[in-house]
Structures are given as structure tokens and as C-alpha cells.
Amino acid sequence: MDYRVWHDSYDKGVPASIDYEEITIPQIFARAVERHGDRPAVSFMNCNMTYAQLNDQVERLATALAALGVQKDTKVAIHLPNLPQTVVAFFATARLGAQIVMTNPLYTEREIEHQWTDSGVSVAIVLDALFARRIKGMRNRLPVKHYIVASIPEYLRFPLNVLAPLKLKKQNPPMVAKVEAETSVHHFKKLVQSTAPKPPGVAVSIDDVALLQYTGGTTGVSKGAMLTHRNISCNVQQAATWITGLNHGNEALLACLPYFHIFGLTISLNFPVYFGGLLVLMPNPRDIPGIVKNIEKHKVTLLPAVPAIFNAITQLPGIEKHDLSSVKVCASGSAPIPASVSQRFEALTGVKISEGFGMTETSPATHFNPMSGTKKEGSIGPVWPDTDARVVDLEDGVTEMPVGTEGELVVKGPQVMKGYWNKPDETNDMIRDSWLHTGDIAKMDEEGYFYIVGRKKDMIICSGCNVYPDEVDEVLTAHPAVLESATIGIPDERRGESVKSFVVLKSEYSTAADELVEHCKANLASYKVPRTIEFREALPKSTVLKILRRELRDEELAKGS
């Protein structure tokens, strides 16, 4: 790659360009098994598997999936939190050259139906509690031919395999449920145990689509980003080059980032498997005491997380009494991390948090602060090897802006998606002349460090999750009492941003905010539901009657100043 000013900021030993291995996701996993078969691969409570044991489960499930009709390019949904079954399902599906559709367990029926129908999912691997509570009643509206139902306790050993179901049943809502097997409904572990590990040989190409990773849009319609094996593999290799000094077969990564999110899927799953690391699985990222306990117990060395998790760790009562000295690398993404959080965490652990930037469409990482070199507060850092970036004029999208001047951030590199599934117009709008237009407003300093200063789009980032205002407004205006609404993100010290909606009611109706919140809860994942609803007689609009969310944001910022 040609010289760029940010190359001078790279840590010693990090090249501007990488000689990439042409290695697919199943090949990454197979090599880890070959090199580190007797090393620990997965730890979940008292379930522990070596890479050889994990491979046995993967091969058995791949064989079973093939018997259910899964072949190259079949769409398989994985609708699970971070569990051993999630890891098994991911690599088994990839082994067959099928396309993986990771979906958020918090999704409502509306969200599930759109993504599974849009992608044409034929097999879905689902948590038993979610199947009983949500999926079972909507089966006639879905294209799914077979369901494989997983249960949280099924991979646990005694006595937790007996105690866990009792505790999980008492949760609200219950996180375990009895599901009867039938012709098209199979129990995960029973299916795996009853199947010999003899999967068919499938030729998987580096440029085949590995994932349909759904992301929102300004229209509120979720789109499937087609991420190839090359996209994921190159991003993993970029991460492995950026983080120097990795001890292959001896690192432990705390997987508290959900695997249904691209940050978690690449950095907390494929990246550690690339160097034979241990995955310490955390299905509940809000369990901060559990996170701290696992760091101590497993001597975790790598901690990728979102700012809310780092903040919560520093705020945990008695945290100074815990030994977090094993952690040597901390990476933060999905939302800006406040300087106060970084400083508190460094004072507590002696480890600096490196902040980066990425998108679903870029597999995800494009920028990161150096791991040992200069980290600049508020900066997403320089651009990764073999990745190029520009700040361009907001109007024409082409003219490169001078250093220190704001414009839209555009990027290109081997991690940029193939395009959106069945959406050529949206693809052409997003990727122009090989440059992906992020929709983020940024600036670059004289040393090549980039700063996100705003959003061209209205996306809200709440606890690391993307919330698209149009989707929230679409749900709100479907309520019979609502005439129109406008949703924005407002600063939130704990979440980064919170969702707030401004609502105008129809003249003949009256309703309470609580009723609208309940309406949203029935149709949106919990993190998308407005924390605050403010009723107004009218919303600010332009001369062409477009609602001006920016004015509402400015009002909220003025209140806090």
C-alpha cells in the first residue's frame, strides 16, 4: 500500500501492508484444532472443551445439518446468546459453506420475521426459552423448515446441569423451557450426540459469502450485509497484526461482546480462534460481577468490550480488591469511550484502553488506536493496514477535505462487504467508486488520527447497539393515538446515548407515555425502546415539511449545558 501519514503512528513491527493468508473461516478453525487440539478452547461455567473436543461437536453438528438439507449457500439462523452451542453452530455451518444469519435474541416477532424472511432462512438454531415464548407462535409466517433447539444447561456438568434449570425457570422471563421434539424440531445436544462425525466435503472459497449480517438503515429497514470469508479473514489477520506479541495457544479472551453483533463475532470469536486462544463465554454482558470473576479465574489476557462494560467494571463496589493484572490488552468499540472511564480503568488495572471504529459493513474494524504507542483521547486512531480512509465534502461526497476540517468519513479495504443482500440500489449508494460512505462526520489531524464528530445519518448508539430512529418512529406512529413522532439519541453517561421520542398525538386521542412504551416493547428489541417520551403540539419541520431531528437534539444539548 502507498505511504499514508498514519503509517508513522503504527506500533513497532506493524506493517502498512500484510501478506494475507488465503484462509477461510472453516480453515481457520481446522488449523486451530490441528495445532492446539489439546489446548482449552471454550469455557462456560463448569463446561470446558479443548479444541479437539470442540471439533468433535462441530463435525457432528455439520453432519446433522447436512442431513437436514443444509448445503452450500443455505441460510442458517443462529438465535442464541454466547453459549458453547453458538460456537459449535457457527463453525459447523461455515464448514458446510452455508451462509450464517446471526440474529439478536432480544428481537421481537416483527424483527425476526423480517430478517429470516428477507434472507430465506431454512434452518434456525434457537434457545429453547425463545422458541417457546416467541418463535413457536409465528412458525406459519416463517420460511424455516427445521428448528434446532438449544438449552443453556445442556452442556453443563453436574451439579450445575441440575441446579441451573431451577434458577433459570425462576427468572423473569424464564430462560429455560420444555420443547417437545417433532419432525421439524430437534434438540441440539441430542442431535449432536446421535450423529456420527462424518460431514460431507464442501469446497468453500475465500470469496464465498460467509455471513448475512443484518444492519439497520435510515429508512428503518434492516439490510443484510454480505460479508465474505475474505472480509472476515482479512479483518482477523489485521487484528492479529495490530495486536503484537500474541502467545499462540496461551491467550484467554473474555467473550462478553455478543456474537450476534459483528464486533463480537469477529474480535471475540474468529480472532481468538485464529491463534488458538481460550473463549471464556459470557451470555449476559450485564453480569459485571461475573465478568470480573471470570477475568480472575481464567487469567483473561484480552478484554474487548464496549464503554458501558468498562465503566461498569470501574464502578463495581470493592473492585480494587480484585486481581485484574492478567489483562494485557483492552479494546473498545461500538461507541465513543469517555476519557473519565479510560482514566479510571487505567488507574485500576494499569492497562490503557485502545479505542477503535468499525461498522457491520466493514467486518467491522477500520481504525484503532495503537496498542502500545500514542493513544489520543477522543480519537478512533489511525487506519488499519491495507485500509484507506478520507474525509470528504458532505455535499459532493468526493472532494477531500483539508487536515482538521470536518466531512464524511469514507473507507476502503479488504474488509469492506460485498454489498447488501438483494439490495443493489442501497449497495450502490453505500459503495461508490470502491469507497464505502460511512455516514459519519469525521476529521483527521496532522498525524493521521481520526475523530468522529457527528453523524450524517441519525443513528443512535445505545450501549454499543445501533438504533435507527426511523424504525422507532415507524412503530410509534403505528399506534392509533400517534399522529407523528421524532426519535433522537441524547447523551447518557452509562449507555453512551439513550433513546428519546417526541410525540404529537391525534386531536381526538389522549394516551400516557407508559402506554406508548408498552407498545414499543411489543414491537422493538428492549434497547430500542424509548427511555423518555415527550408530548408536543408540533414538531420542528423544514420548508418541505421534513422533521428536523437536529433541532430537537440541539434543544436537548442546550438543556444539559
Side-chain angles (χ1 to χ4, degrees):
M1 182 174 179
D2 294 337
Y3 170 79
R4 297 288 186 271
V5 64
W6 51 77
H7 294 156
D8 295 333
S9 301
Y10 283 10
D11 286 333
K12 185 178 180 181
V14 176
S17 187
I18 300 169
D19 184 14
Y20 294 97
E21 297 180 87
E22 297 259 320
I23 185 169
T24 64
I25 290 171
Q27 288 172 330
I28 288 173
F29 178 71
R31 188 172 68 181
V33 173
E34 179 184 354
R35 293 180 177 178
H36 309 287
D38 61 345
R39 301 294 299 168
V42 167
S43 179
F44 170 63
M45 300 177 72
N46 71 351
C47 165
N48 298 287
M49 284 190 274
T50 64
Y51 270 95
Q53 291 168 333
L54 177 61
N55 183 58
D56 176 71
Q57 300 292 291
V58 168
E59 294 281 286
R60 289 174 184 272
L61 181 61
T63 307
L65 287 171
L68 295 178
V70 175
Q71 54 189 336
K72 195 167 184 180
D73 294 334
T74 298
K75 311 302 187 296
V76 176
I78 301 177
H79 195 63
L80 299 169
N82 290 11
L83 299 171
Q85 298 96 313
T86 315
V87 180
V88 173
F90 180 84
F91 287 110
T93 304
R95 168 77 168 73
L96 297 174
Q99 295 176 12
I100 302 161
V101 182
M102 304 293 294
T103 51
N104 188 337
L106 295 175
Y107 278 165
T108 63
E109 289 186 13
R110 184 185 67 86
E111 294 162 314
I112 294 167
E113 183 177 358
H114 166 68
Q115 292 189 9
W116 290 6
T117 302
D118 182 71
S119 59
V121 166
S122 61
V123 174
I125 303 169
V126 185
L127 193 70
D128 54 2
L130 300 176
F131 182 85
R133 185 161 64 244
R134 191 160 289 141
I135 306 296
K136 189 175 181 180
M138 58 184 295
R139 286 173 65 182
N140 64 333
R141 309 199 308 268
L142 298 171
V144 181
K145 297 175 182 176
H146 288 278
Y147 294 90
I148 301 174
V149 179
S151 186
I152 292 174
E154 65 186 347
Y155 271 80
L156 299 178
R157 294 182 290 106
F158 183 82
L160 290 184
N161 59 343
V162 176
L163 298 175
L166 302 176
K167 183 176 181 180
L168 291 167
K169 283 179 183 177
K170 293 179 181 178
Q171 292 188 5
N172 186 21
M175 289 307 295
V176 68
K178 186 176 181 180
V179 176
E180 297 294 337
E182 53 182 272
T183 304
S184 59
V185 179
H186 317 269
H187 292 131
F188 190 101
K189 194 171 184 185
K190 287 181 181 178
L191 182 65
V192 169
Q193 288 178 326
S194 63
T195 304
K198 298 178 180 179
V202 180
V204 180
S205 166
I206 191 76
D207 290 313
D208 287 342
V209 174
L211 304 170
L212 287 184
Q213 193 72 16
Y214 276 78
T215 182
T218 54
T219 62
V221 177
S222 188
K223 305 184 291 291
M226 295 185 287
L227 301 179
T228 65
H229 288 267
R230 184 184 301 278
N231 293 151
I232 301 296
S233 181
C234 286
N235 209 224
V236 164
Q237 292 179 62
Q238 287 168 325
T241 301
W242 195 255
I243 303 173
T244 58
L246 291 171
N247 189 351
H248 286 235
N250 289 292
E251 303 288 357
L253 182 144
L254 187 76
C256 59
L257 293 170
Y259 285 156
F260 56 78
H261 192 286
I262 190 61
F263 186 15
L265 196 66
T266 297
I267 302 301
S268 291
L269 178 56
N270 288 286
F271 168 59
V273 168
Y274 182 77
F275 56 81
L278 168 64
L279 308 173
V280 181
L281 302 179
M282 291 288 302
N284 180 9
R286 294 180 178 84
D287 179 12
I288 303 304
I291 286 176
V292 171
K293 179 180 178 181
N294 273 318
I295 291 173
E296 290 186 294
K297 178 181 178 181
H298 296 284
K299 303 298 181 187
V300 164
T301 55
L302 308 176
L303 181 59
V306 295
I309 291 177
F310 287 116
N311 185 35
I313 289 173
T314 66
Q315 302 294 336
L316 185 69
I319 185 62
E320 63 279 350
K321 298 176 183 177
H322 292 274
D323 181 10
L324 306 182
S325 61
S326 62
V327 178
K328 60 183 184 182
V329 172
C330 289
S332 179
S334 294
I337 187 164
S340 58
V341 174
S342 294
Q343 291 160 5
R344 285 201 304 268
F345 192 87
E346 184 181 352
L348 179 69
T349 65
V351 180
K352 289 186 176 182
I353 299 172
S354 288
E355 182 177 355
F357 172 84
M359 304 171 66
T360 301
E361 292 88 345
T362 57
S363 307
T366 59
H367 296 66
F368 242 96
N369 274 274
M371 305 312 294
S372 58
T374 301
K375 298 176 179 66
K376 297 188 179 183
E377 294 288 357
S379 171
I380 58 173
V383 185
W384 264 7
D386 296 302
T387 307
D388 207 354
R390 292 177 180 171
V391 176
V392 299
D393 183 84
L394 288 170
E395 298 301 322
D396 66 29
V398 175
T399 305
E400 193 163 356
M401 306 302 288
V403 168
T405 306
E406 296 178 4
E408 183 180 6
L409 175 65
V410 298
V411 298
K412 65 178 175 180
Q415 68 271 55
V416 172
M417 68 172 181
K418 182 177 180 179
Y420 291 122
W421 170 251
N422 283 343
K423 287 184 167 51
D425 291 343
E426 286 87 341
T427 299
N428 292 334
D429 183 59
M430 191 74 166
I431 303 174
R432 298 171 233 160
D433 193 27
S434 79
W435 289 93
L436 185 141
H437 289 248
T438 67
D440 287 284
I441 301 172
K443 63 181 180 180
M444 185 187 80
D445 69 17
E446 64 283 352
E447 293 182 304
Y449 282 69
F450 286 75
Y451 299 77
I452 301 296
V453 297
R455 296 191 193 100
K456 189 177 178 182
K457 299 176 182 177
D458 291 318
M459 185 178 71
I460 302 162
I461 300 180
C462 182
S463 297
C465 296
N466 295 349
V467 180
Y468 295 86
D470 281 2
E471 182 182 16
V472 181
D473 290 332
E474 181 182 352
V475 169
L476 279 167
T477 53
H479 190 281
V482 176
L483 175 64
E484 57 186 3
S485 72
T487 297
I488 65 169
I490 59 174
D492 185 304
E493 186 173 333
R494 189 162 67 90
R495 298 180 182 87
E497 288 183 296
S498 281
V499 180
K500 179 172 182 176
S501 296
F502 298 83
V503 171
V504 177
L505 297 177
K506 295 175 183 176
S507 58
E508 68 272 26
Y509 283 93
S510 64
T511 188
D514 289 348
E515 181 182 335
L516 294 182
V517 168
E518 290 304 313
H519 170 72
C520 288
K521 285 180 178 178
N523 292 281
L524 294 167
S526 58
Y527 62 87
K528 301 177 185 178
V529 174
R531 294 270 167 178
T532 309
I533 291 180
E534 181 178 321
F535 293 106
R536 294 213 171 179
E537 292 185 2
L539 297 175
K541 294 176 181 174
S542 69
T543 54
V544 293
L545 300 182
K546 181 180 179 181
I547 294 174
L548 299 174
R549 288 195 181 107
R550 183 174 293 277
E551 284 194 15
L552 294 170
R553 282 195 293 267
D554 290 344
E555 287 181 29
E556 291 298 311
L557 290 173
K559 289 179 186 177
S561 61

